[in-house]
Amino acid sequence: MRVSALWRYPVKSMAGESADNLDLDRQRPRGDRLWALHDVERDVTVTARRLPGVLLCSARYASQPTIDSGPGNVPPVIITLPDGAEVPSGDPGVHAVLSSALDHDVRLVALPADPKAHRMSWRERVAAARGLTTDLGIRADEQLPKLSDMDPRALLTLTRNATPPGSFVDLCPVHLVTESSLATVGRESDCEVPDARRFRPNILVADAPEGLPEAEWAGSTVALGDSARLHIVMKTVRCVVPSRQHDGLPLEKGLTRAVATVGGRYLGAYADIARTGRITVGDPIRVTGPREPGRLGKAAATARTATLDTLNRLAELPRRGRHPVG
């Protein structure tokens, strides 16, 4: 396998920058998601799930981020609006310009140094839980994604925070997608192979086995090039964002349903950075599976799966009560 494309996203949910190489620093790909929009009314970080117009904007850095870029030290960006106009982050009118373009009161904010800034209010936690099925594009007669396919640490983080403390990512600092998975979605749904940019990966992987190979990588170590290493946390649960209109990409209504049919609402893989390093388009990729757990580890995993599957069934009950199936 090899790296076929790389991206970083200066502003959360906006179109990003393609790159020939990408530095994986300790906490994130250098320069990735150091800015976001803040919803003034709801007092929460904006996502394209709730404000899809953000996807029609793009962002680039005015100068290359340095190794010390991060919370509390964020380099300026230049934002391109849907009509082609540009506004720099340092412009005093940037908030008004973005609010007008998105028809919503927002503020452009840099990644804060205080990790408590990511904590959601109870009101927002309840709203996020109630809006889950809408965000994921789940109809009343369809099942929720299996919680047992998700990482418990990630689930706990997202019950308390709009984004993980110290970052503006949804879950993990690195997101991978294979060309094989995109081809599978296109082939199995009888539609064109979807553009990788719809899924907003940092790394696009070529020459992977057919099917949905990254769906089997949880717990694995991924070596990229000579030095960089990733730890795969879990496969990526997909919301409705890939199907929406993006900067340069039209609406693709059937994509959410295709991913649900082919991958059970999962496509791609989330990863933590295990070893820093620079990766370059064309670099080889090697995946090493996790060590086989012992007897106690297997028993704990079985108990965890049973518990989460029970929670899944309990979460389905009120939905099925309102919308009988069959």
Side-chain angles (χ1 to χ4, degrees), residues 132-162:
L132 178 62
T133 55
T134 301
D135 290 345
L136 296 178
I138 301 175
R139 297 187 306 228
D141 60 344
E142 295 178 321
Q143 292 186 337
L144 295 167
K146 290 184 64 178
L147 293 176
S148 55
D149 287 330
M150 301 182 188
D151 180 71
R153 172 185 60 110
L155 284 173
L156 182 60
T157 297
L158 292 182
T159 61
R160 299 176 178 177
N161 304 282

Side-chain angles (χ1 to χ4, degrees), residues 28-80:
R28 62 183 55 80
R30 188 172 300 171
D32 193 60
R33 296 173 175 88
L34 295 181
W35 292 87
L37 296 182
H38 189 80
D39 187 318
V40 174
E41 179 182 352
R42 295 175 56 211
D43 189 27
V44 70
T45 301
V46 167
T47 71
R49 296 187 298 273
R50 302 297 175 91
L51 193 60
V54 181
L55 294 168
L56 302 179
C57 301
S58 63
R60 70 183 190 277
Y61 284 105
S63 59
Q64 289 297 320
T66 56
I67 192 171
D68 60 345
S69 298
N73 183 29
V74 177
V77 291
I78 299 172
I79 295 172
T80 302

Side-chain angles (χ1 to χ4, degrees), residues 4 39 50 57 65 80 117 147 152 161 168 177 190 200 239 243 251 256 276 281 284 320:
S4 62
D39 187 318
R50 302 297 175 91
C57 301
T80 302
L147 293 176
N161 304 282
F168 280 143
V177 171
D190 296 324
R200 303 177 61 77
C239 63
S243 66
L251 180 69
T256 298
T276 62
V281 171
R320 298 307 168 92

